[in-house]
Amino acid sequence: MTQDAQPTNPISGRMFERASAVLPAGVGSSARSVRAGWAPYPPFIAQGTGSRVTDADGHEYVDYLLGLGPMLLGHRNAEVTDAVIRAISERGTVFGLPHELEAEAAEKVCAAVPSLDMVRFANSGSEAVGTAVRLARTFTGRNKVLRFEGMYHGWMDTVYWSNHPKLELAGPDDAPVPVPAGKGMAPHVGDSLVIAQWNDVAALERALEANAGEIAAIITEPMMLNTGCIMPVDGYLAAMRDLATKHGAVLIFDEVITGFRLARGGGQERFGVLPDLTTMAKGIGGGFPVAAVGGRREIMELVADGRYSHSGTYNSNVMATAAVSATMDILARPGTYEALDRHGAMLLDGYREIATRHGVAHEVQGVGPVGQIWFTDAPIRTYRDAARHARPDVFTAWWREMMARGVLFHPSQDENLFVSTAHSDDDIAFTLEAADASVRAIVAAGLA
Ligand SMILES: Cc1ncc(COP(=O)(O)O)c(C=O)c1O
């Protein structure tokens, strides 16, 4: 992928032209669009196998995009694929009535994630978050939701605010204001949101005190993974837990990315802090579209007694629950997370070493099989640090060089690098060779 006069992927170019006539922006989700950085057009993918994908023009890439996260087991994991095919051929697809696989999958998910007594399946992370917020409101009888600048919790009106606001619209550092992430949202929803900087206990305390008795939920990722990768500072999540309890707010961990990835029990296991409700999606189904919301029995039972109605024609369908059940079995095998951690560390340590050796200002952050490299000469601890100090121009130059050398990841530094169980030592070695050559090239071109 380069922007040369002679594109190296003309077949993708033709596919993009065809798609653009019938699909807005030529793609199915905005994160795949030219506007999101896939210039001059995204590579069209022909197939994926394990840790690699091949584009329509025949280029093979080691894949760190991993479908934006779901392909934790690599592409077309044979066990999950077989389980889904078998379930369809033996049972069907959608019944509008319960079936046995549903409880089987739910038992396995509750066994894996420390804070879950009960769980309900959904079809996307956005839906799961929408349900978690409503459950929190029902449970507390309060209305407001405290969310952090720089996080993304899906596209529901309730939370699709202040993801990556322009700083000139976002208010002072110590008193951020809600900024809608796009048009089409009812403006009054902003009144139900309290925005705070992440990684700052005093800021959280101030926001809770200023809205005492009104906050239904605090929603956070256990680590910030929608502004690149930002780790929680020591003690931050534990302090958030204590403050949520003190103020009677439901603590929601949005583990759509971290779930089943940072550990079998997700970020809550890895960081040792338990939320009241958890949302899960990308790691839960081995690449099949499925999500879940779960948590403490007394909150989840609001669904059972009808105070909150959780609906969805496709919830708990046969494909989804078969995929979850098979994925949970694979993830429970000894050694799974040791291998993910080892390959993640090889990649991130390798990036650190290469950027340091070439004298490029950077900060690599990550844990287990997820992370990101920031090109910056200042530490990144909050969204505003990233907005002020990170260098998207250097990241874009680096991304172009890496893509040209067969390494796939998202062109935006706000996304992540994902390692799967299918990645091998050879994949990482190949990637680090490409990284060395890419950094050398951007330094030589005066771009870093
Ligand atoms: C933390 C987080 N929450 C929620 C979502 C929304 O999930 P989905 O795209 O499945 O609706 C995402 C998607 O990227 C996410 O990263």
Side-chain angles (χ1 to χ4, degrees):
M1 272 280 290
T2 65
Q3 276 184 305
D4 296 340
Q6 297 284 315
T8 58
N9 52 357
I11 300 176
S12 281
R14 286 199 290 279
M15 289 181 169
F16 182 64
E17 213 178 300
R18 175 184 174 190
S20 297
V22 283
L23 291 158
V27 292
S29 167
S30 296
R32 303 168 209 168
S33 66
V34 175
R35 282 177 61 79
W38 294 102
Y41 42 78
F44 277 54
I45 300 302
Q47 65 87 26
T49 308
S51 61
R52 301 199 174 216
V53 294
T54 309
D55 72 16
D57 291 270
H59 305 117
E60 188 180 78
Y61 303 90
V62 181
D63 184 9
Y64 297 94
L65 181 65
L66 291 184
L68 286 168
M71 311 314 297
L72 177 62
L73 305 177
H75 294 276
R76 291 191 284 180
N77 176 280
E79 283 176 68
V80 180
T81 307
D82 287 352
V84 172
I85 292 171
R86 208 172 43 249
I88 295 171
S89 60
E90 288 173 5
R91 295 168 190 266
T93 55
V94 174
F95 303 121
L97 280 170
H99 56 94
E100 196 183 8
L101 285 177
E102 198 174 354
E104 178 183 304
E107 282 164 6
K108 292 179 186 179
V109 169
C110 289
V113 183
S115 69
L116 301 193
D117 297 323
M118 305 183 96
V119 69
R120 269 282 178 100
F121 292 107
N123 304 289
S124 72
S126 298
E127 284 177 45
V129 168
T131 292
V133 168
R134 287 203 194 151
L135 278 170
R137 288 201 174 116
T138 310
F139 185 68
T140 58
R142 301 172 179 180
N143 183 41
K144 289 187 180 172
V145 173
L146 190 154
R147 57 148 296 153
F148 298 95
E149 215 172 61
M151 299 248 171
Y152 172 65
H153 299 295
W155 51 266
M156 293 275 170
D157 278 18
T158 33
V159 287
Y160 194 41
W161 295 70
S162 298
N163 299 348
H164 296 137
K166 289 197 175 101
L167 291 190
E168 58 272 26
L169 301 178
D173 286 8
D174 58 0
V177 296
V179 180
K183 297 277 182 202
M185 287 192 294
H188 70 265
V189 177
D191 300 341
S192 68
L193 286 168
V194 176
I195 309 295
Q197 294 297 323
W198 199 63
N199 251 345
D200 182 340
V201 178
L204 177 58
E205 212 162 1
R206 269 199 317 274
L208 286 164
E209 269 157 23
N211 296 276
E214 293 184 277
I215 304 282
I218 301 173
I219 183 165
T220 187
E221 287 191 277
M223 60 196 279
M224 197 184 283
L225 284 166
N226 280 287
T227 293
C229 177
I230 305 180
M231 297 294 292
V233 296
D234 276 354
Y236 180 62
L237 295 176
M240 188 188 295
R241 171 68 276 178
D242 291 346
L243 285 169
T245 305
K246 179 176 159 199
H247 286 268
V250 170
L251 180 59
I252 304 172
F253 272 8
D254 181 352
E255 298 234 38
V256 162
I257 297 182
T258 53
F260 310 100
R261 193 180 315 270
L262 299 196
R264 187 169 158 239
Q268 54 196 269
E269 178 183 331
R270 186 105 194 188
F271 298 120
V273 175
L274 299 189
D276 302 303
L277 289 177
T278 303
T279 55
M280 298 149 275
K282 300 187 188 219
I284 197 172
F288 284 85
V290 51
V293 52
R296 284 165 47 198
R297 185 174 301 277
E298 58 184 322
I299 305 179
M300 293 305 293
E301 272 184 345
L302 297 172
V303 177
D305 71 17
R307 274 181 284 169
Y308 170 65
S309 163
H310 173 242
S311 309
T313 303
Y314 297 110
N315 292 354
S316 291
N317 66 68
V318 170
M319 294 76 77
T321 48
V324 170
S325 184
T327 301
M328 292 301 115
D329 290 347
I330 294 169
L331 294 179
R333 285 183 197 143
T336 302
Y337 288 92
E338 286 77 0
L340 281 170
D341 280 11
R342 194 170 69 78
H343 285 134
M346 277 172 74
L347 181 76
L348 299 182
D349 290 347
Y351 280 6
R352 276 187 197 102
E353 187 278 319
I354 289 164
T356 305
R357 180 155 41 79
H358 289 283
V360 174
H362 70 283
E363 183 178 36
V364 172
Q365 296 198 46
V367 63
V370 63
Q372 185 55 288
I373 182 165
W374 291 108
F375 293 105
T376 172
D377 48 20
I380 308 284
R381 300 289 171 268
T382 65
Y383 165 70
R384 293 196 184 201
D385 291 341
R388 289 181 178 130
H389 304 298
R391 295 273 311 270
D393 54 328
V394 183
F395 193 89
T396 301
W398 142 264
W399 169 77
R400 272 192 209 300
E401 295 292 335
M402 291 291 273
M403 286 288 287
R405 290 175 173 82
V407 181
L408 176 70
F409 51 92
H410 198 283
S412 166
Q413 61 180 355
D414 285 331
E415 300 288 345
N416 314 118
L417 305 168
F418 293 114
V419 172
S420 75
T421 58
H423 281 73
S424 65
D425 287 10
D426 284 351
D427 288 326
I428 309 290
F430 173 91
T431 305
L432 295 180
E433 249 177 63
D436 191 42
S438 296
V439 175
R440 196 184 300 274
I442 59 174
V443 170
L447 297 169

